[in-house]
Each structure stands twice: as structure tokens, then as C-alpha cells.
Amino acid sequence: MLEVRHLQVLRSIAQEGSLAGAARALHYSQPTITHHLNALESHLDAHLVQRGPRGAALTELGEALLPHAVAVLERLRQAELEVRDLAERGTRTLHIGTFPTAGALLLAPAVKRLHQQGVHISLTEGELPSLFLGLRARELQAALVFSQPGDRLDLDEDFELHPLLADPLLLVMPEDHPCAALDRVPLAELRDTAWVGAADPHDPCDRVLAWACAQEGFEPVHAMRTDDYAVVQGLVAAGTGVALVPRLALGAVLPDLAVRPLAGPTLAREISVVVLRSTAAQSAQELVSALQEQAALIVDRWAGAAGQPAKSTDVTVGGPRVAVP
């Protein structure tokens, strides 16, 4: 009969590289590790671990079994945590990650609704790389993320992706900039202009900008880089350059700045919520529903400001979305 301990032993051997290391990690004796491994191999009628003088390694069959063992153990860990929360605190807990600009307008109202429904939220804020690390390590059960249209996020089948809204990228420039007089600014007019970009050159918004500029035959030159959009506005107001800023991140615009859409197809980033499938179905659905409702309210607000109807998966400042290759 297959037991949880058998899967724990397999995972630990893979992690530690030896039966002795697995014994130390699990606080078992080495004969106990050998017993559970033999029982697992006998149950499956398969040779799972190759033992040698320098340690142990999984065979091809062992490697095939390992991700299933890890998934089962993680599902059991999540179940144990949730039951303990309900038993000890009378609440369910969701461990959620978010990138900074999604926290105030998108996540905060959803958190309020979840609290009212008896769900406790443990919140982690960070940039995309740290959020993905938290998801892969199963330290986060859900996270708000963003990407370019058409991007595949680097997550496995243990996660579900729920699109929320397309966040248009708007041009921010000094109010005395020559293009500030235009309703929509052709990107070609900014060929000789310096840009304030993200700290990471591979940021999805910077990649969208680089692609769009390439269509016009030039490469954007970045004078400064920062992930703080308040700093971005300050740098632009000081004359350092112009910037492409997601609408969700604009906040209160400084009085000496002008904000305009670019002419042509609308550039945008896609905002989604990623949910670990092993998260309790009810809690996960409540989170997704709350975020979808808040996203719809935001898009309706944007549409009202622009004087046009919109859907939560459409950009609302005019023009079709661009999928960047």
C-alpha cells in the first residue's frame, strides 16, 4: 500500500542525494529510509533509486514519479494548514502576493470583501521575479502578476491563470514638451527623446516600448531607470526624459506633467491573478470573483473618463491591443 512516508522518502533522497542525507533530513534511521524505499519500489514494481558509493540518485522511473510525489505532499500540506486555521482561528487564510501598483486600486477592495466573508489574508508585496519565486516555492497560494499580451508565464500546470484587465500604457512628459499639445502622440515624434524606464530592462512594459519603437525604426535611449512610479513622475517633471506608465500606476499626476495616449495601436500590459490549484476551491473562487468585480469597476471608470464602453479584458483608451512577439 502506498503511504505518504514513501513519497517523503523519495523526495528527500532526490533533495539530499543520499539515503543517509534523507535519514538526517527526515529524522529517521537509515534502515527506516531503506525500508520505506523498498516498500515503494515493491508497490510500484519499479527501480526508483540508483545507489552508489557516492550517494544515491533517482532513476528515470524515479524522476518520472518525483513531480507527482511533490504535488501530493504539497496538497496535503496545504490541506493541513487550512484545517488548522479553521480549527484554531475559525478562519481560512490565503497567502497572496502582489506587485506594488496593483495593491491599492485592484487588491485592497478585494481584500476587504474577503475579510467580510471570513477569509484572512497574508499579503506579500514584491516585484514579479520575487512573486514567481514565492509561487514556485508554494509560499504564495495566489499572486497578481502582469505580462505582455500573448506572453506565456513561466508557471507549471499546478497553477490557474485568470485574466483581469488590460492596463494601457500612457505617455508621461513635461507639460511644456512640444508633443503635449497633441491629443495622441506618434511614437516617431519621440525618436530623439530620452526615456525613464524600469529598473529591469526586461520588464514587460520596457519590452513593449522597445518593440513599438522598433516598428518606427529606432531604439529608445534610457536616461534613468527606476521601479518607483512616483520617482518616474519626478524625473520626468525635472526634464530627465519621458516615460511610458501603466494607467493603473499613474495615481495623482504632478501638475507640471502631461499625460497622453500614443497614436496607433494601444500598448498595454495584461494583469492577471495566478492561483495554486491546491488552494481550497471556495477561498480561491472568492478571491478570483472579488478581483474580477473590482477590475470591471476600474475598467468602467476608465471607459467613463474616455467616453466609450469597454470590457475588463480590453484596453479602454482607444485602438486595438498589441501582442508583442
Side-chain angles (χ1 to χ4, degrees):
M1 179 179 180
L2 190 62
E3 298 181 13
V4 172
R5 287 174 293 182
H6 299 161
L7 303 181
Q8 290 172 330
V9 164
L10 183 74
R11 181 180 64 180
S12 192
I13 292 172
Q15 292 172 339
E16 303 298 329
S18 69
L19 271 65
R24 288 191 298 270
L26 295 174
H27 305 291
Y28 289 164
S29 67
Q30 190 164 334
T32 299
I33 293 291
T34 301
H35 169 75
H36 288 312
L37 175 59
N38 289 342
L40 178 60
E41 291 183 325
S42 176
H43 177 76
L44 296 175
D45 193 21
H47 182 46
L48 303 175
V49 175
Q50 182 66 48
R51 293 170 245 193
R54 296 186 178 180
L58 300 191
T59 64
E60 183 178 359
L61 293 175
E63 292 287 356
L65 177 60
L66 181 62
H68 300 288
V70 170
V72 168
L73 293 171
E74 173 57 26
R75 187 64 179 263
L76 290 172
R77 187 183 74 87
Q78 293 289 344
E80 183 179 4
L81 289 174
E82 183 159 341
V83 170
R84 283 183 175 176
D85 269 347
L86 281 170
E88 296 173 6
R89 303 171 53 179
T91 62
R92 291 161 288 152
T93 298
L94 276 179
H95 300 275
I96 302 174
T98 182
F99 59 95
T101 55
L105 292 180
L106 190 55
L107 184 59
V111 167
K112 179 180 178 181
R113 172 175 157 181
L114 288 167
H115 277 166
Q116 292 171 341
Q117 296 177 358
V119 180
H120 175 72
I121 302 298
S122 169
L123 184 63
T124 299
E125 184 181 85
E127 299 300 332
L128 286 187
S130 66
L131 295 180
F132 284 124
L133 284 175
L135 288 167
R136 294 188 192 102
R138 307 306 194 256
E139 295 167 356
L140 298 175
Q141 295 167 287
L144 284 165
V145 299
F146 66 91
S147 61
Q148 294 178 169
D151 264 3
R152 285 181 58 86
L153 297 179
D154 187 19
L155 292 168
D156 58 40
E157 61 184 13
D158 290 340
F159 295 91
E160 295 177 347
L161 182 70
H162 300 271
L164 296 174
L165 59 85
D167 188 12
L169 307 181
L170 303 177
L171 178 67
V172 179
M173 56 191 158
E175 63 177 355
D176 59 356
H177 192 283
C179 291
L182 303 175
D183 291 333
R184 292 178 175 272
V185 179
L187 196 54
E189 294 293 323
L190 304 169
R191 180 183 302 271
D192 299 320
T193 302
W195 292 83
V196 178
D200 180 0
H202 300 292
D203 179 90
C205 296
D206 271 17
R207 290 170 57 202
V208 169
L209 175 63
W211 175 87
C213 291
Q215 308 310 300
E216 299 294 335
F218 72 97
E219 183 177 341
V221 176
H222 289 87
M224 302 285 283
R225 289 188 176 277
T226 176
D227 285 330
D228 189 321
Y229 285 111
V231 176
V232 169
Q233 287 198 33
L235 291 172
V236 172
T240 303
V242 301
L244 205 58
V245 176
R247 183 164 186 170
L248 201 62
L250 273 176
V253 178
L254 296 177
D256 46 357
L257 294 178
V259 179
R260 301 287 185 273
L262 292 172
T266 303
L267 306 181
R269 63 178 182 175
E270 302 281 2
I271 297 180
S272 305
V273 58
V274 176
V275 180
L276 183 64
R277 292 182 190 275
S278 60
T279 304
Q282 184 178 356
S283 299
Q285 186 54 53
E286 287 168 353
L287 172 65
V288 172
S289 296
L291 287 171
Q292 288 174 337
E293 289 183 17
Q294 184 60 25
L297 290 174
I298 291 171
V299 171
D300 285 345
R301 195 180 310 137
W302 288 349
Q308 60 184 30
K311 298 178 182 178
S312 60
T313 54
D314 293 333
V315 172
T316 62
V317 294
R321 272 184 297 164
V322 173
V324 182

